[in-house]
Amino acid sequence: MKQLQKNTFIDHLIDGQKVCQSGFFTPDRFLISRKQPNGLSSRSQIYPAHRPVHYLAKLKSDGRYWLVLEDGYLCIATAKRVLYGHDNNPIWQASTQSLPKAAQVPAVKFDTDKRFFVTAEPLVFRTAPEWSAVNSKCKMLYTGRLVVYNKILVNKGISYLETQEGFLPYYNSQTGKRYGVIISSKLKRPAKVSSNHPTIFKLHGQFRFSRRGVDVYQSPNLQSPIMGHLNRGTIVDYTGKLADRHRGWLQLTRAGQHSYVPFMSRYRNHGHYFGREITGSKAVSRLREPWVFNRTDATVDLSTTPLEHTALRQVEEQLANVRQPDSIVIGLINDTHYDAHQSTYSQRTLHDLLLFSHFARNHDFNGIVMNGDLVDGNQPLNRTIIDTGDAVSALAESQLPVFITQGNHDDNSGFARYLNGYRTEQVMTEQTALHLRNRLNNQWLANQNNFYGKYKVPGTAISLIMLNTFDIRDSHSDVYFDRDYDDQPNGIHWTGILQNIRHSRSRIASQQAAWLTKTLDQLAPDEQVIVFTHDSIRSATRRQAVTPFWTYDWFANNQQGDFARIYNNLVKHRQQIIAVMSGHTHVDDWSREDGLNWITTTCDIADRRKTSRLNSRTIGAWDVLVINPKQRQLLRLRYGWRDRAGRIRHWQYQLFGDGTDTRRRTLKEIFKRPDPQPLSGNARYYQNQNKQVDQIWRGFRGYFDY
């Protein structure tokens, strides 16, 4: 490698990687060292110009280049790689050892011999590919059920799936309606067509016409025949909602026949309701109608933008430089929050999933991990089923082992709880999630439907462990204490927890903790493990829910179950654990606590990051994890966006404050009160138990020893 002119240099380092290389550096200006290698750390010492400085090693951190001194760190170049002086050895490259070539191991492929279809609503088998070919003896397939089909037939604009039990409708090309989703290693997503027919959202609920009476119509049109009248004060059970330009309609169903009643007038900026919803176990204060998220599907385009092309080339070059014959390469993406109807950002994450999958396939990854919140869960159940199936099919295009951990958005309970009044029938069941997310590759599951397990990379000593931090089983009850949990709620109680609502809290059941204990105890002496979990694993007890973690999290004091047991077992086996990878907080960060690397990755969806730069909303974010087991190194190559410590442009005050910007008031300062009046229970939790308000946000790092 030849030295460049004008004080520039070449490096092949990952952010956070150290070079064990000593030497002398002569500054051409005065420089100030810092206690830690970041711009927010306290200053240590001034070094005048033209006096040589002896350094012990070199380090790339926070996008800058540092010399490791005896008493601190000295920044000698920014991301532009122009030195602030002269280095007698200006090569920034970690040394690598020549290793024997690893034995070729056949790749594990998806099971694509069968063609799977998951229903998005109840469907009746037809005796022929004809809409009217239904008789009373035909079997019904309920929402979320899976069936194997042979081929697709088209008749009168409707696509049908041929199965052993009959024909099922799949897609109506006239209206653009999909009745379910095909799960395969090739994304099958029919083009969206424009239609004048209003979209019917299948929702079950009750409505009380407390303000006025209304007529009942044969169809959702004031010009259609009137079939009856509902007086003021009448309560109706409805089976669906739809809207036209001027009003919202309820669909009523009786003896298999539908009728429609208007329940609101729609104006440009608000709606006037003729009564109120009767839903769930408490009053609904922020009900949002389902047609709010009803944008036209975006066209999924695999062609890369110039910014994406540059980012892909950069990752490709870095991977070629650091990959060794025995390296294990895992792709990692999380928090895509895919939604085909919500926004251009939520639609574009399907493009990111395809880009990610194709990159992994073309570069022979050992597997890919989607670490939770694959979809946003802000749509009714039928749309969420279709979105999930499309996203899984995009991941399946990698033709690699795919692992998807449980996120708080994935089961659609956000829609059921926050948007539409505690409608628990809209929550995706565990069986439906299994059909959608793991049917093609579910051998790694420890227990059916529990979404945690272990996968050993064939021919290696590396294993992946996926944990479920939303380990809440399905229940038909809306009342929390109806079931005998092995733990009780702690921390915030005002969130209105329901039995089926996973969106509100995180939990690890004792069964999962016992499985992890047994799994770690049975590790082979040379086996190394990397752990993936959507929400962070904290040392959680009833009186101390968060330590020793960093970024504020909505679930900080809502964690239940055996988090402490999980944490302690991970610490016990720290010599064999590479890192614990999490997402959920939508920020890049890391910590080294109790001998373990704790790493969190920012979200792929571009408009929900806590920090911002010029390109923050024009590119996704995912990682390539390169594990070098003999060197005991983890390299983290980033495609796209990354958080840098100390680069928050505006103060992010969310809920109780996120505790990441040390230049602002901490949570403890906010809770200081001049009067002796005692604090509330929740305030005491956040003042005394939440340790993260005193900690520093570290940003992205790409190099870890273990």
Side-chain angles (χ1 to χ4, degrees):
M1 184 181 297
K2 64 180 181 178
Q3 183 173 338
L4 299 181
Q5 303 297 319
K6 299 182 180 179
N7 290 341
T8 61
F9 61 94
I10 296 176
D11 86 282
H12 296 288
L13 297 183
I14 310 305
D15 204 60
Q17 189 173 8
K18 183 183 291 187
V19 180
C20 296
Q21 181 185 86
S22 61
F24 287 91
F25 180 81
T26 305
D28 60 7
R29 69 201 73 179
F30 81 89
L31 300 175
I32 301 176
S33 65
R34 295 185 180 271
K35 294 291 186 182
Q36 298 295 331
N38 64 72
L40 290 181
S41 180
S42 57
R43 297 180 178 183
S44 178
Q45 185 176 341
I46 296 178
Y47 290 85
H50 311 303
R51 291 186 184 180
V53 179
H54 179 258
Y55 59 87
L56 307 176
K58 298 177 178 179
L59 175 69
K60 184 178 181 181
S61 176
D62 193 22
R64 304 177 185 182
Y65 300 86
W66 304 78
L67 300 178
V68 181
L69 311 178
E70 291 184 356
D71 59 348
Y73 299 84
L74 187 66
C75 180
I76 60 168
T78 63
K80 295 182 179 180
R81 292 181 293 187
V82 178
L83 293 172
Y84 302 147
H86 174 73
D87 185 7
N88 70 336
N89 192 354
I91 298 176
W92 291 66
Q93 183 175 15
S95 61
T96 58
Q97 300 178 1
S98 177
L99 299 175
K101 192 169 184 178
Q104 294 296 322
V105 179
V108 179
K109 301 291 186 180
F110 266 106
D111 178 14
T112 57
D113 295 334
K114 296 182 179 179
R115 302 173 180 180
F116 299 107
F117 175 75
V118 179
T119 60
E121 58 184 77
L123 296 177
V124 176
F125 286 100
R126 268 70 175 173
T127 57
E130 174 70 38
W131 189 260
S132 60
V134 178
N135 59 52
S136 59
K137 296 182 180 180
C138 284
K139 180 182 177 182
M140 175 173 285
L141 206 60
Y142 292 96
T143 303
R145 299 300 173 88
L146 178 140
V147 67
V148 177
Y149 72 94
N150 300 319
K151 58 183 178 180
I152 301 177
L153 303 173
V154 180
N155 184 20
K156 297 180 181 179
I158 299 179
S159 300
Y160 296 89
L161 304 178
E162 183 185 62
T163 73
Q164 292 183 349
E165 297 180 337
F167 298 87
L168 289 172
Y170 164 56
Y171 176 64
N172 189 327
S173 61
Q174 298 174 350
T175 63
K177 180 179 177 61
R178 295 167 70 183
Y179 301 95
V181 62
I182 292 174
I183 310 294
S184 72
S185 58
K186 184 65 177 177
L187 180 61
K188 299 180 184 296
R189 188 168 180 258
K192 181 72 174 179
V193 299
S194 59
S195 173
N196 294 326
H197 299 283
T199 302
I200 297 179
F201 298 90
K202 295 193 174 183
L203 300 171
H204 292 272
Q206 287 187 323
F207 190 88
R208 177 186 177 92
F209 288 91
S210 56
R211 294 185 176 180
R212 54 171 288 188
V214 293
D215 289 328
V216 182
Y217 295 86
Q218 186 176 10
S219 63
N221 188 329
L222 295 181
Q223 306 303 320
S224 67
I226 296 176
M227 303 177 63
H229 182 81
L230 300 178
N231 295 323
R232 180 178 177 180
T234 302
I235 298 176
V236 296
D237 295 313
Y238 62 86
T239 58
K241 285 185 174 183
L242 64 154
D244 56 27
R245 183 178 179 183
H246 299 292
R247 58 193 55 81
W249 296 83
L250 301 178
Q251 181 188 68
L252 311 182
T253 303
R254 184 175 181 180
Q257 299 297 317
H258 300 314
S259 58
Y260 301 87
V261 294
F263 75 103
M264 64 174 293
S265 296
R266 297 183 67 198
Y267 300 98
R268 183 172 183 179
N269 296 317
H270 73 283
H272 172 70
Y273 287 82
F274 305 156
R276 61 176 298 176
E277 296 275 346
I278 303 175
T279 56
S281 62
K282 59 187 297 185
V284 179
S285 59
R286 45 177 174 173
L287 182 72
R288 297 185 69 180
E289 299 300 349
W291 52 78
V292 172
F293 302 123
N294 200 27
R295 300 193 179 190
T296 304
D297 290 2
T299 301
V300 180
D301 185 6
L302 259 186
S303 61
T304 57
T305 65
L307 182 61
E308 290 175 328
H309 181 71
T310 300
L312 288 171
R313 287 292 302 272
Q314 181 182 11
V315 174
E316 192 173 33
E317 291 172 0
Q318 290 178 336
L319 181 60
N321 287 327
V322 302
R323 193 173 195 171
Q324 301 180 18
D326 67 338
S327 294
I328 308 302
V329 181
I330 304 296
L332 174 64
I333 190 170
N334 51 262
D335 293 283
T336 50
H337 292 268
Y338 172 60
D339 188 321
H341 300 84
Q342 186 174 163
S343 71
T344 54
Y345 295 108
S346 68
Q347 292 165 354
R348 186 169 175 78
T349 55
L350 189 64
H351 163 91
D352 295 343
L353 288 167
L354 287 167
L355 205 64
F356 171 68
S357 297
H358 289 195
F359 188 89
R361 182 182 64 194
N362 295 336
H363 292 83
D364 299 319
F365 285 16
N366 297 95
I368 59 178
V369 177
M370 199 289 139
N371 207 8
D373 283 356
L374 176 64
V375 296
D376 201 41
N378 267 2
Q379 298 285 347
L381 181 58
N382 61 335
R383 282 185 169 180
T384 301
I385 288 174
I386 293 173
D387 283 349
T388 304
D390 286 344
V392 171
S393 293
L395 290 169
E397 290 204 8
S398 67
Q399 293 292 313
L400 297 167
V402 174
F403 310 100
I404 304 174
T405 64
Q406 178 89 295
N408 53 300
H409 284 255
D410 288 320
D411 74 344
N412 205 44
S413 60
F415 174 85
R417 177 177 190 265
Y418 292 115
L419 301 181
N420 240 265
Y422 297 89
R423 289 182 171 88
T424 53
E425 87 284 349
Q426 292 293 315
V427 178
M428 185 183 295
T429 65
E430 293 168 307
Q431 189 62 47
T432 300
L434 174 69
H435 290 162
L436 289 166
R437 301 206 299 256
N438 297 302
R439 175 57 61 183
L440 296 175
N441 183 29
N442 64 354
Q443 298 84 358
W444 62 274
L445 291 175
N447 292 283
Q448 195 77 350
N449 299 346
N450 281 358
F451 304 108
Y452 58 83
K454 175 187 172 184
Y455 171 79
K456 194 171 190 299
V457 180
T460 74
I462 302 297
S463 293
L464 316 181
I465 287 181
M466 279 61 64
L467 297 179
N468 179 8
T469 47
F470 299 91
D471 193 2
I472 301 170
R473 309 313 305 271
D474 288 339
S475 171
H476 297 290
S477 171
D478 286 346
V479 182
Y480 182 87
F481 291 103
D482 278 358
R483 188 167 56 177
D484 184 19
Y485 264 150
D486 54 12
D487 60 292
Q488 297 295 333
N490 61 67
I492 301 176
H493 298 284
W494 48 260
T495 52
I497 293 172
L498 295 179
Q499 196 80 310
N500 282 32
I501 305 299
R502 298 177 181 91
H503 193 87
S504 305
R505 59 197 168 100
S506 53
R507 179 178 183 268
I508 292 179
S510 58
Q511 182 183 13
Q512 182 180 179
W515 170 85
L516 182 66
T517 300
K518 181 179 179 180
T519 300
L520 294 178
D521 288 342
Q522 293 178 347
L523 291 177
D526 64 337
E527 194 170 358
Q528 301 174 14
V529 175
I530 184 167
V531 181
F532 297 92
T533 170
H534 182 66
D535 197 11
S536 299
I537 301 295
R538 300 179 177 84
S539 179
T541 66
R542 288 181 62 84
R543 296 301 303 171
Q544 186 175 356
V546 181
T547 181
F549 280 81
W550 49 95
T551 305
Y552 180 79
D553 172 9
W554 174 273
F555 299 91
N557 282 357
N558 259 355
Q559 290 188 338
Q560 302 170 37
D562 285 320
F563 273 83
R565 185 177 173 189
I566 292 282
Y567 185 94
N568 292 333
N569 271 304
L570 293 173
V571 173
K572 176 183 175 182
H573 295 274
R574 58 182 173 268
Q575 294 300 323
Q576 293 181 266
I577 295 179
I578 300 166
V580 182
M581 311 291 302
S582 62
H584 180 62
T585 56
H586 294 202
V587 68
D588 285 315
D589 212 335
W590 63 275
S591 180
R592 178 78 177 179
E593 299 287 347
D594 291 331
L596 288 171
N597 294 312
W598 307 90
I599 306 171
T600 183
T601 304
T602 192
C603 58
D604 177 78
I605 189 168
D607 65 337
R608 303 196 193 178
R609 298 170 184 141
K610 288 189 175 181
T611 59
S612 61
R613 285 203 310 271
L614 292 177
N615 66 343
S616 64
R617 297 192 177 187
T618 57
I619 195 168
W622 41 266
D623 290 339
V624 178
L625 306 179
V626 182
I627 302 168
N628 294 326
K630 291 189 177 180
Q631 284 78 23
R632 296 182 66 86
Q633 296 174 339
L634 170 64
L635 306 178
R636 183 184 178 206
L637 314 180
R638 168 58 56 84
Y639 162 85
W641 165 266
R642 69 174 65 179
D643 280 306
R644 299 190 186 279
R647 302 288 178 83
I648 299 180
R649 183 169 297 179
H650 302 291
W651 183 31
Q652 306 275 329
Y653 185 83
Q654 300 176 0
L655 192 61
F656 299 109
D658 59 15
T660 59
D661 190 345
T662 58
R663 297 167 295 182
R664 301 290 180 175
R665 296 173 60 200
T666 66
L667 200 56
K668 287 185 177 181
E669 292 175 331
I670 294 174
F671 277 128
K672 284 182 179 179
R673 300 175 60 169
D675 56 88
Q677 182 180 355
L679 298 174
S680 66
N682 286 332
R684 286 197 301 274
Y685 270 113
Y686 278 94
Q687 184 187 45
N688 300 321
Q689 306 303 326
N690 193 334
K691 308 299 182 183
Q692 53 197 183
V693 298
D694 296 325
Q695 298 182 358
I696 298 175
W697 171 53
R698 296 174 175 86
F700 180 87
R701 181 181 178 184
Y703 176 85
F704 298 87
D705 293 308
Y706 61 91

